[in-house]
Amino acid sequence: MKIWSSEHVFGHPWDTVIKAAMRKYPNPMNPSVVGVDVLDRSLDNQGRLHSHRLLSTEWGLPSIVKAILGTSRTLTYIAEHSVVDPVEKKMELCSTNITLTNLVSVDERLVYTPHPENPEKTVLTQEAIITVKGISLSSYLESLMANTISSNARKVSRYNGRRAVFLGKRGNPSKSCSIPERPAQRK
Amino acid sequence: MNSVGEACTELKREYDQCFNRWFAEKFLKGESDGDPCGQLFKRYQLCVQKAIKEKDIPIEGLEFMGPSKGKTEDSS
């Protein structure tokens, strides 16, 4: 199992970053995502927007890796649950792969919040847990995937000046985000 | 961005345009009364669910209804 996490600060306010995050794909910085569909979307009783999306990705695994994994599938699918709280200004995305699950588990979680010291900036914390199952090259493959995620996330910092900010994959240890109830104090 | 079902991409684009506009101009500004994209979403969903079945994508059993979740009113 490999765990990867990072934190990144965008030089834009939360609303701007969230609007861009919702329109993240197609993303030239992460061309492996080739399809995105919304499967369900609704507001909960606290006014938070929940979305469930299906992403199709083309990992571009080296052919030797595909041969070792014994798969000829090139497309993998990811289920993502996101929650946007416009009052608390928090967006959380959790995702997990739903194919190749007998071989690998990639769970990611991203959280966007305003920077605690500067409302003109936004903080993204991102973490991924990668587990490759059942084969002796598991450490190597876990590192390969973690490096890909990390590299995609680093591409953000190189393009920090762009209004449309793109990030690495999203994820979470569970298929759905565990979103606690917002404390009382609403107007 | 394409849909998982090639035939659904145009329906997806129409829905996305509607949603992105509502999200930026209403939802993030605290005006979340009603979702004007209900009809577009329904048409898009019919297509996507069919594509998911055809491609045998394993979405069964995923939690699509979180706790304390209510549906928006369909305003169109």
Side-chain angles (χ1 to χ4, degrees), chain A residues 18-19 22 25 33-45 47 49 52 77 86 98 175-176 181, chain B residues 1-4 12 15 19 23-24 27-28 32 44-45 48 52 57-58 62-64 68-72:
Chain A
I18 295 315
K19 280 185 254 185
M22 285 303 241
Y25 299 108
V33 177
V34 298
V36 178
D37 281 297
V38 180
L39 300 184
D40 184 68
R41 189 166 258 158
S42 62
L43 292 171
D44 67 16
N45 57 14
L49 181 71
H52 285 92
Y77 294 101
I98 57 172
K175 292 193 172 77
S176 300
E181 296 265 317
Chain B
M1 188 81 265
N2 292 333
S3 167
V4 70
K12 170 188 144 63
Y15 167 70
F19 169 76
F23 184 74
F27 178 74
L28 288 183
S32 56
Y44 162 48
Q45 274 307 292
V48 164
I52 286 171
I57 299 171
L62 293 176
E63 289 171 25
F64 282 153
S68 317
K69 208 168 155 190
K71 287 281 183 188
T72 50

Side-chain angles (χ1 to χ4, degrees), chain A residues 126-145:
Chain A
Q126 191 174 355
E127 56 188 17
I129 297 176
I130 301 140
T131 309
V132 175
K133 305 166 192 178
I135 55 175
S136 59
L137 285 176
S138 53
S139 269
Y140 163 73
L141 288 172
E142 284 169 4
S143 294
L144 183 71
M145 288 183 209

Side-chain angles (χ1 to χ4, degrees), chain A residues 4-106:
Chain A
W4 168 89
S5 66
S6 81
E7 190 176 279
H8 181 76
V9 177
F10 296 100
H12 299 284
W14 185 84
D15 279 36
T16 302
V17 174
I18 295 315
K19 280 185 254 185
M22 285 303 241
R23 307 171 72 153
K24 184 169 162 182
Y25 299 108
N27 178 357
M29 295 286 100
N30 185 6
S32 62
V33 177
V34 298
V36 178
D37 281 297
V38 180
L39 300 184
D40 184 68
R41 189 166 258 158
S42 62
L43 292 171
D44 67 16
N45 57 14
Q46 294 190 69
R48 299 179 298 199
L49 181 71
H50 292 250
S51 306
H52 285 92
R53 302 202 300 180
L54 176 70
L55 280 67
S56 28
T57 65
E58 175 58 75
W59 265 96
L61 290 174
S63 44
I64 185 160
V65 174
K66 281 192 224 172
I68 291 165
L69 293 177
T71 178
S72 57
R73 283 187 83 136
T74 54
L75 270 183
T76 58
Y77 294 101
I78 291 165
E80 174 203 88
H81 173 206
S82 63
V83 186
V84 183
D85 187 335
V87 172
E88 199 183 320
K89 289 196 189 296
K90 181 177 175 187
M91 176 169 178
E92 186 171 352
L93 299 100
C94 316
S95 70
T96 189
N97 59 301
I98 57 172
T99 52
L100 296 184
T101 49
N102 56 327
L103 297 170
V104 66
S105 165
V106 180

Side-chain angles (χ1 to χ4, degrees), chain B residues 29-74:
Chain B
K29 296 184 178 169
E31 303 165 34
S32 56
D33 46 314
D35 172 9
C37 310
Q39 285 301 330
L40 287 172
F41 187 66
K42 276 184 190 150
R43 280 185 5 220
Y44 162 48
Q45 274 307 292
L46 282 173
C47 183
V48 164
Q49 293 297 334
K50 187 159 165 276
I52 286 171
K53 277 200 176 64
E54 281 166 6
K55 292 178 188 248
D56 207 20
I57 299 171
I59 62 165
E60 299 83 25
L62 293 176
E63 289 171 25
F64 282 153
M65 294 298 290
S68 317
K69 208 168 155 190
K71 287 281 183 188
T72 50
E73 290 297 323
D74 195 337

